[in-house]
Amino acid sequence: MTPSVAQPRSLDDAVEALRTAIDPTVLAGGTDLMVAINAGSRRPTSVVSLIRVPELQGWHRDGDEVVLGACLTYAEIERGELASLVPALAQAARTIGSPQIRNAATLGGNLGTASPAGDSLPVLAALDATVETIGPDGVRTLPVLEFVTGVKRTALRAQEIITAVRVPVLRGPQEFLKVGTRNAMVISVVMAALVIDLDGRSVRLGLGSVAPVPVRARDAEALAEGSVDWDTARIGDQTVFGRFGELAAESTAPIDDHRSTAAYRRHAVSVCARRALERALR
Amino acid sequence: MTDSVTFQLTVNGADRVVEGAWLGESLLYVLRERLGLPGAKNACEQGECGSCSVRVDGTLVCACLVLGASAAGSEVVTVEGVAGDAGGLTDVQQAFLSQGAVQCGFCTPGLVMTVHDLLERNPTPTEVELREAISGNLCRCTGYGRILAAAQAVVAERSGSGRSQRETPS
Ligand SMILES: Cc1cc2nc3c(=O)[nH]c(=O)nc-3n(C[C@H](O)[C@H](O)[C@H](O)COP(=O)(O)OP(=O)(O)OC[C@H]3O[C@@H](n4cnc5c(N)ncnc54)[C@H](O)[C@@H]3O)c2cc1C
């Protein structure tokens, strides 16, 4: 068996490389995979690198949606026009790693890793994003909450790759809040992503690091939706904000681990959710 | 050697052949152990410390997180490839010396790469932008004050005299 590092230059070539390679490992920005390889916990026998596949780069507008290529980096997400189209994702991108990490790390890689602490995941959950994949059996489209199936587990099948993530462009405020021990280079203790859709009259709250998979706080969302004056985009009843935070905390299932405790996570979620709603609709 | 790979890298403008490498070797390992370029430092091997910062196709990254073989076809620039006129120090390197920004020196090559990268994209960064730019480079001597001073001295020097990056201040 000859070890190989394939660098396909088209999506067709990438699919073919994955089909023919023996036990291929997919590589994008390498910021998760190389950590595992350096530590000796992963030993790939063949690698298919996606970073030169043009179809997976960049982003484009498609009607009311934005199509984000799997190899889009956080450095590209955090600034420019995209940051104004999907502000919560840009806010999340700015909190990730360091400039060096954001230059390399990709959205597809965050989904591929599917860590409970993946910062893009609660935002994508709040946006009702869909994940597009391609593999030997063709293309599939999955809602992000079906794509992430458990701690570091996804619905990806063998030899399948993520090609893009589709998110809506919405009118209304968006917020992303993250708690960690430092402002840079920090794995989230909790995250809250709030998306307001003024036209669809919906309030959506995605939470991260508080359950095996990203969570939507449906009860909190329903309370807020019922309290908004949609003509002014404001919530008048000042008791709603605190209650929103409490309901958000109730929708989580956090654990004690080396980064924090379940009790602190529940508390921090309630604060983040309340603040996000105050910033957006007070 | 069936379980090794051979590839060609372009490092500091020169083509370098890497033979008999293990598939999973990082660019950092290849640079240091196979190509004799120890400027990028090896510390955390998990992208946390920034002491291995290099540029790949003009983008600042941690060499420890780049798969060596996947850098074939890219332009890699290490601190060895950063030089002022006649091979002397750049204004950034000179400022690190004159401002006392070098203590043990381990983080210095990574920080020099980072400051050059920032000032190319943003010639007049605010202090917040500077702090943000170096947030991925750890200095365990904690000499951040002098490092910021060095970067600010370069900004002042360049905007005052209009010197380009490749001109070395005397
Ligand atoms: C110092 C440091 C700090 C970090 N900080 C943060 C942080 O603050 N927040 C955060 O969320 N993450 C953080 N991370 C983790 C990491 O940067 C992110 O998860 C990133 O999005 C991974 O993307 P990548 O392109 O580097 O993935 P890779 O490492 O290239 O790949 C990750 C996994 O996804 C798979 N994969 C990649 N692309 C695809 C695809 N298109 N289709 C199918 N599978 C694919 C790979 O096979 C691999 O299993 C940090 C990492 C480091 C090293």
Side-chain angles (χ1 to χ4, degrees):
Chain A
M1 181 175 66
T2 317
S4 66
V5 177
Q7 303 224 52
R9 306 278 174 155
S10 73
L11 190 54
D12 285 347
D13 286 354
V15 172
E16 183 59 15
L18 283 160
R19 202 181 59 75
T20 51
I22 297 152
D23 190 21
T25 299
V26 171
L27 171 70
T31 61
D32 281 320
L33 184 59
M34 286 305 295
V35 172
I37 291 177
N38 291 343
S41 55
R42 278 180 84 168
R43 265 191 96 79
T45 49
S46 73
V47 172
V48 176
S49 165
L50 302 181
I51 49 176
R52 292 175 208 274
V53 176
E55 292 94 329
L56 304 180
Q57 312 301 318
W59 62 277
H60 66 269
R61 184 90 190 240
D62 182 15
D64 294 341
E65 294 180 320
V66 179
V67 182
L68 309 168
C71 289
L72 189 69
T73 63
Y74 296 116
E76 296 171 289
I77 293 172
E78 69 181 314
R79 59 177 71 96
E81 193 193 348
L82 186 55
S84 59
L85 292 175
V86 202
L89 194 59
Q91 289 177 40
R94 286 183 203 120
T95 74
I96 289 175
S98 64
Q100 288 91 326
I101 299 301
R102 298 197 289 276
N103 280 343
T106 68
L107 190 62
N110 213 213
L111 282 162
T113 296
S115 160
D119 282 314
S120 76
L121 304 183
V123 185
L124 298 181
L127 288 165
D128 282 324
T130 52
V131 180
E132 300 182 346
T133 67
I134 193 166
D137 302 327
V139 298
R140 293 197 295 149
T141 301
L142 292 162
V144 68
L145 291 180
E146 287 173 32
F147 180 85
V148 181
T149 56
V151 175
K152 302 198 172 182
R153 300 183 78 90
T154 71
L156 272 182
R157 297 176 185 152
Q159 299 165 345
E160 223 175 21
I161 56 168
I162 303 155
T163 50
V165 179
R166 208 171 255 276
V167 297
V169 176
L170 299 172
R171 196 171 63 83
Q174 299 187 2
E175 294 290 340
F176 176 84
L177 285 86
K178 163 171 167 176
V179 173
T181 46
R182 215 190 133 196
N183 278 343
M185 205 70 98
V186 64
I187 306 285
S188 291
V189 167
V190 299
M191 305 156 253
L194 181 71
V195 169
I196 312 293
D197 175 4
L198 292 178
D199 298 313
R201 300 199 163 184
S202 68
V203 173
R204 309 160 183 190
L205 182 65
L207 304 171
S209 280
V210 288
V213 295
V215 167
R216 279 283 293 274
R218 306 282 180 190
D219 291 344
E221 293 176 358
L223 168 77
E225 281 166 7
S227 313
V228 182
D229 173 350
W230 291 104
D231 296 324
T232 59
R234 289 284 171 268
I235 291 175
D237 179 352
Q238 297 304 307
T239 64
V240 168
F241 300 100
R243 185 73 193 124
F244 181 77
E246 287 163 16
L247 288 173
E250 282 169 25
S251 63
T252 65
I255 56 167
D256 291 336
D257 66 11
H258 59 292
R259 286 196 196 101
S260 188
T261 62
Y264 178 75
R265 286 190 162 104
R266 231 176 256 115
H267 170 72
V269 158
S270 73
V271 174
C272 288
R274 170 174 58 74
R275 276 190 198 154
L277 194 69
E278 285 171 352
R279 286 180 193 172
L281 297 177
R282 185 177 234 163
Chain B
M1 283 254 283
T2 48
D3 75 337
S4 67
V5 289
T6 295
F7 51 90
Q8 184 174 311
L9 295 180
T10 308
V11 185
N12 301 329
D15 291 339
R16 305 288 302 265
V17 175
V18 179
E19 276 178 331
W22 173 57
L23 166 91
E25 283 174 16
S26 70
L27 176 62
L28 177 62
Y29 183 89
V30 171
L31 290 170
R32 291 178 59 86
E33 307 298 334
R34 297 192 179 275
L35 300 180
L37 293 167
K41 296 289 172 256
N42 184 13
C44 74
E45 299 189 339
Q46 48 182 306
E48 296 274 347
C49 76
S51 57
C52 67
S53 297
V54 299
R55 291 174 103 183
V56 176
D57 290 330
T59 303
L60 189 76
V61 293
C62 293
C64 72
L65 299 184
V66 176
L67 185 73
S70 78
S74 295
E75 297 275 342
V76 178
V77 176
T78 70
V79 74
E80 288 92 342
V82 173
D85 281 348
L89 299 180
T90 64
D91 52 358
V92 172
Q93 291 168 323
Q94 184 59 52
F96 267 65
L97 286 183
S98 40
Q99 297 292 324
V102 180
Q103 292 189 54
C104 86
F106 193 89
C107 68
T108 308
L111 276 157
V112 164
M113 296 302 290
T114 299
V115 172
H116 269 296
D117 177 74
L118 169 70
L119 298 184
E120 245 173 68
R121 290 177 293 105
N122 179 359
T124 52
T126 61
E127 186 177 332
V128 170
E129 287 170 336
L130 254 173
R131 286 175 182 270
E132 169 71 25
I134 66 167
S135 63
N137 292 77
L138 299 184
C139 169
R140 291 299 74 179
C141 308
T142 68
Y144 296 107
R146 305 318 302 161
I147 291 163
L148 287 170
Q152 279 158 341
V154 179
V155 172
E157 167 83 10
R158 285 191 192 176
S159 56
S161 65
R163 283 170 193 261
S164 78
Q165 167 207 331
R166 299 196 66 82
E167 282 175 283
T168 314
S170 50

